[in-house]
Amino acid sequence: MSKDNTGTSVMKRLPIILLIMFFLIPVGNSADNTSEEHVLSSGEEGQRGEAPCVNGKCSGSTGDSIAVDNRGWWLTGTLVGQQGFREWVDGILWSSGELEVHTSTKEQLSSYPSFQYSLSVEEQNSELWQGVTDIQDSRSLVFSFRSKAFWGSPFSSESNFILTGISDSDESFFDSRSFEEFPEGVEAGWDYRGTWFFREKVSKGLVTRVQRINRRLLSNQCVIDVHLGGSRNIAHYRNEWIPEQNTAGETDIEEARNYLISRKQYSSVPDVGQFTTYQESLCRYAEDAAVSNQEVSILYSDFWDSRESLVEAELYKIWVETSE
């Protein structure tokens, strides 16, 4: 084989090699959380764990990178809402507790229509499931979770997100570390206004979920769900087969033919945007606002014009309106 052919063959296989290397890096496993997580039942006072310092930069400093869980988990997160339907499922291959979490309190429903997230409790974490079932009221809670490991058992639970802890969400945002360090809010530590795709958009809403993603080979990422208020009509397409329309004089067609068409339809859903950041101080500010049910204002770029879809954008600034 010539050198040119050998080089071409290697280049073709390079993406496959990189993909294999990525999946060979350990990401933690499904059973690691049982002994390390603090389980909070209905009478206990919860506290979120502080994110560690990364490369000498601690959470709260502008321009820092996203701090991730030191156990090496691929994704961890914080979700705020009220406990909904719960059920213990005894399946053939797995047993798990399945839990719904509803966003928005009764006082917020008119402005922020509720929707739900799904979480699971694995069989070996029976103490945490007992803590879940002991909670009988409808107060707003903070749910800590992680994602399943890529090669963990797919039958360990129904949801892709595993519950790891519960705490109360009654702290005031104005007593939080974020407000103490950034009373006027946090802004991205780079000149986003100078980029050609920036189209300024300001909105207000409630932070409902924050996810920290350990991407290992790339910059760590923080994904923030913000309920922007009200509902939005989302466009989607449904494929349909329709029979061919015969015209006069074409009655001798032996076999009817169908054509595939795509019909545009709309559905109304709560207007929840998904925003990303690679800056720890922005991510931490969103977490502190979430656990205190504090409305925030956000600045982002709606470059792709999301009138018929939910917003997906990078977060450039987040702040809380304070009365003078």
Side-chain angles (χ1 to χ4, degrees), residues 68-89:
V68 294
D69 190 275
N70 56 13
R71 281 157 290 199
W73 286 339
W74 173 70
L75 182 152
T76 59
T78 300
L79 167 63
V80 179
Q82 297 173 314
Q83 185 177 225
F85 177 77
R86 59 176 182 254
E87 179 185 23
W88 187 264
V89 179

Side-chain angles (χ1 to χ4, degrees), residues 219-238:
S219 298
N220 295 332
Q221 187 180 51
C222 180
V223 180
I224 304 164
D225 289 358
V226 181
H227 198 322
L228 301 175
S231 298
R232 180 181 290 231
N233 289 325
I234 302 300
H236 55 93
Y237 294 86
R238 184 165 62 93

Side-chain angles (χ1 to χ4, degrees), residues 297-317:
S297 295
I298 56 174
L299 170 68
Y300 59 98
S301 176
D302 196 10
F303 177 71
W304 298 110
D305 191 4
S306 58
R307 283 177 296 180
E308 294 185 344
S309 63
L310 294 175
V311 179
E312 292 185 17
E314 186 166 353
L315 180 65
Y316 297 130
K317 185 177 181 180

Side-chain angles (χ1 to χ4, degrees), residues 106-126:
K106 292 181 180 179
E107 294 77 18
Q108 297 168 333
L109 279 175
S110 59
S111 300
Y112 297 100
S114 186
F115 61 101
Q116 70 182 40
Y117 293 104
S118 297
L119 296 173
S120 291
V121 180
E122 294 184 318
E123 187 172 17
Q124 64 266 29
N125 212 339
S126 57

Side-chain angles (χ1 to χ4, degrees), residues 244-253:
E244 181 181 35
Q245 299 295 321
N246 296 331
T247 59
E250 294 184 345
T251 56
D252 58 341
I253 297 178

Side-chain angles (χ1 to χ4, degrees), residues 83-204:
Q83 185 177 225
F85 177 77
R86 59 176 182 254
E87 179 185 23
W88 187 264
V89 179
D90 287 316
I92 298 175
L93 298 175
W94 77 92
S95 294
S96 62
E98 304 304 323
L99 174 67
E100 293 177 358
V101 177
H102 298 273
T103 64
S104 308
T105 62
K106 292 181 180 179
E107 294 77 18
Q108 297 168 333
L109 279 175
S110 59
S111 300
Y112 297 100
S114 186
F115 61 101
Q116 70 182 40
Y117 293 104
S118 297
L119 296 173
S120 291
V121 180
E122 294 184 318
E123 187 172 17
Q124 64 266 29
N125 212 339
S126 57
E127 184 182 359
L128 178 55
W129 181 249
Q130 184 60 50
V132 170
T133 56
D134 285 345
I135 299 173
Q136 300 299 327
D137 55 26
S138 58
R139 68 183 186 272
S140 187
L141 298 167
V142 179
F143 299 85
S144 301
F145 65 88
R146 64 174 177 82
S147 177
K148 287 182 183 177
F150 282 121
W151 48 78
S153 170
F155 307 109
S156 60
S157 58
E158 293 184 352
S159 171
N160 289 328
F161 297 107
I162 310 302
L163 183 66
T164 58
I166 309 173
S167 62
D168 291 319
S169 63
D170 55 2
E171 65 182 71
S172 169
F173 176 77
F174 301 104
D175 294 330
S176 69
R177 175 178 172 180
S178 289
F179 185 76
E180 179 182 348
E181 296 184 358
F182 303 100
E184 297 182 359
V186 184
E187 191 167 5
W190 55 281
D191 184 17
Y192 55 86
R193 296 179 186 273
T195 55
W196 67 272
F197 57 83
F198 179 69
R199 301 291 186 275
E200 184 171 306
K201 186 73 176 287
V202 176
S203 297
K204 180 179 288 188

Side-chain angles (χ1 to χ4, degrees), residues 34 48 59 115 154 166 203 284 292 308:
T34 311
R48 293 176 300 123
S59 59
F115 61 101
I166 309 173
S203 297
R284 169 63 52 155
S292 56
E308 294 185 344

